[in-house]
Amino acid sequence: MEPINVEKSRHGHLEQGISAVLSQWNGLEMAVQNQWGGRDSTLKAQQLSADILSWFSQSKAPRYVEDLENLLHERMLLSFNTDIEDGSIEEVAEQLMIVHEEYLHGNH
């Protein structure tokens, strides 16, 4: 029997939370449905989720919502050639920060 990787298991809750927030984001959903990132738009959306998980997990240093907003804006522009200016990037970043805080405090 393979030992359980506790760290991976813990990150699973954070990963699920990130995916849940991103799945509710209309801007990302439209980009994927309309294939603004090409035929691999779905993979690019999955990569965005993985990049956010990595961003939260890489360092013990404090994370700031403005940095996450910049990450989201950059990824949407580079991956989907989409400049979202409807305020949703800020909303999504705030929701992701809340998910991360809940994860850190064990409220998942």
Side-chain angles (χ1 to χ4, degrees), residues 10 17 19-20 23 36 44 61-62 65-66 77-78 80 86 90 99 104:
R10 284 191 50 211
S19 293
S23 72
W36 294 343
K44 289 180 178 180
V65 70
E66 294 83 8
L77 196 57
L78 295 175
F80 298 100
D86 63 357
E90 294 78 8
V99 164
L104 289 177

Side-chain angles (χ1 to χ4, degrees), residues 14 18 28-29 38 45 50 80 90:
L14 180 56
I18 291 169
L28 181 59
E29 181 182 351
F80 298 100
E90 294 78 8

Side-chain angles (χ1 to χ4, degrees), residues 4-38:
I4 296 173
N5 183 336
V6 174
E7 193 62 27
K8 183 173 181 159
S9 166
R10 284 191 50 211
H11 284 318
H13 291 290
L14 180 56
E15 188 174 8
Q16 288 173 355
I18 291 169
S19 293
V21 169
L22 293 181
S23 72
Q24 299 297 313
W25 186 12
N26 288 336
L28 181 59
E29 181 182 351
M30 285 176 45
V32 171
Q33 285 181 351
N34 294 306
Q35 295 188 340
W36 294 343

Side-chain angles (χ1 to χ4, degrees), residues 12-106:
H13 291 290
L14 180 56
E15 188 174 8
Q16 288 173 355
I18 291 169
S19 293
V21 169
L22 293 181
S23 72
Q24 299 297 313
W25 186 12
N26 288 336
L28 181 59
E29 181 182 351
M30 285 176 45
V32 171
Q33 285 181 351
N34 294 306
Q35 295 188 340
W36 294 343
R39 283 187 276 163
D40 58 348
S41 290
T42 300
L43 290 174
K44 289 180 178 180
Q46 292 168 348
Q47 185 60 50
L48 175 62
S49 183
D51 290 345
I52 294 167
L53 177 64
S54 177
W55 183 79
F56 278 126
S57 306
Q58 280 180 349
S59 172
K60 300 288 185 208
R63 295 294 182 192
Y64 299 101
V65 70
E66 294 83 8
D67 295 331
L68 184 53
E69 290 169 7
N70 290 337
L71 173 79
L72 291 170
H73 179 76
E74 178 182 278
R75 292 299 191 283
M76 290 302 291
L77 196 57
L78 295 175
S79 296
F80 298 100
N81 198 29
T82 304
D83 193 8
I84 296 182
E85 297 181 357
D86 63 357
S88 65
I89 284 180
E90 294 78 8
E91 291 173 19
V92 168
E94 186 63 37
Q95 291 170 356
L96 290 168
M97 294 297 283
I98 291 168
V99 164
H100 184 246
E101 282 297 315
E102 289 174 350
Y103 162 75
L104 289 177
H105 297 292

